[in-house]
Amino acid sequence: MVGHGDQSGTRLCRRYRISTLLPDGSILDRVEIAPAEPPFESAFAAMGAGCMIATPTGSIAAIDLMPGTTVCTAQGATARVLWVGSVTIHPAEAEAGGSCLFRVVAGAFGPQTPETDLLLGQGALLATGPAGPLERARDIVDGDSIIATRPISPVSLHQVVLDRPGLLKVSGLYLAPGKTDPGTRRFRRAEDRRRFAELFAGLCLSGMNAA
């Protein structure tokens, strides 16, 4: 993390890695510095690098997703990835009370649900069926099959924005993709809402995926 100073003192920020599919079909890769606070972090910290996302040609790891990739959704349709964001969580941050991780053990919700252990971040919204309901991983920790944990080495977490509504199919569970609208996120400062929107600059959205 990095410190940014202003009139109110130093504010902790972090680097967010972003890849965006532009309207002309090209991909814009960039690194943005923004506050290291839940409204921002939760937009990026959803899936561990090894989470396997279903696509029409087979599963692909979250770390390998690129803008333009076609993924399968829980509703039996497909969607295209428009935006990929990632953030790295370091052990020192966790020791200082920073971001927490959540491990969902294979079979936590029943046979093959999920099929393998999953590492999720604070922004993960998951469901056991294609119709939901969605729950935050942090709200269903039981210390047995869903475990709150902290990294012992740097961990990258990922999220995507799709071109249409739909849940990602991830190893037998269903995860919500990211939302570009700040919605009810609680920002510390008025300018944070504008800064949040800038992280999704260049997206050409349609339908409900921005809601």
Side-chain angles (χ1 to χ4, degrees):
M1 286 197 287
V2 294
H4 273 206
D6 57 25
Q7 293 180 347
S8 61
T10 299
R11 188 180 194 188
L12 287 178
C13 295
R14 68 163 69 252
R15 293 178 177 86
Y16 297 93
R17 294 176 297 280
I18 299 167
S19 294
T20 306
L21 183 66
L22 300 179
D24 65 3
S26 63
I27 296 175
L28 174 64
D29 295 318
R30 68 191 199 274
V31 176
E32 296 281 351
I33 295 177
E37 297 167 6
F40 292 90
E41 292 177 331
S42 61
F44 290 75
M47 301 174 285
C51 287
M52 301 301 291
I53 293 89
T55 79
T57 57
S59 295
I60 184 171
I63 195 173
D64 294 324
L65 282 175
M66 293 288 292
T69 301
T70 298
V71 298
C72 300
T73 65
Q75 290 70 24
T78 60
R80 187 168 58 156
V81 175
L82 298 181
W83 179 98
V84 178
S86 66
V87 63
T88 299
I89 305 300
H90 295 272
E93 300 169 23
E95 291 174 4
S99 303
C100 196
L101 305 174
F102 306 93
R103 184 170 299 281
V104 181
V105 177
F109 301 101
Q112 301 296 299
T113 313
E115 299 164 358
T116 61
D117 286 9
L118 297 179
L119 186 66
L120 305 177
Q122 62 173 308
L125 283 168
L126 67 152
T128 57
L134 289 168
E135 297 181 280
R136 294 191 180 278
R138 66 188 183 201
D139 293 337
I140 54 176
V141 169
D142 60 12
D144 183 20
S145 57
I146 306 167
I147 305 162
T149 184
R150 298 189 183 279
I152 59 174
S153 60
V155 171
S156 66
L157 296 169
H158 306 257
Q159 182 56 295
V160 301
V161 171
L162 305 179
D163 68 344
R164 65 194 64 188
L167 301 180
L168 298 164
K169 298 173 70 174
V170 184
S171 297
L173 287 181
Y174 302 90
L175 268 66
K179 300 294 184 183
T180 63
D181 192 317
T184 59
R185 296 175 190 268
R186 296 182 178 180
F187 296 101
R188 285 179 55 192
R189 304 177 187 177
E191 63 267 24
D192 286 351
R193 188 170 292 269
R194 173 189 56 79
R195 184 69 184 108
F196 182 87
E198 290 173 348
L199 300 177
F200 301 95
L203 276 179
C204 182
L205 298 170
S206 62
M208 296 170 54
N209 69 307

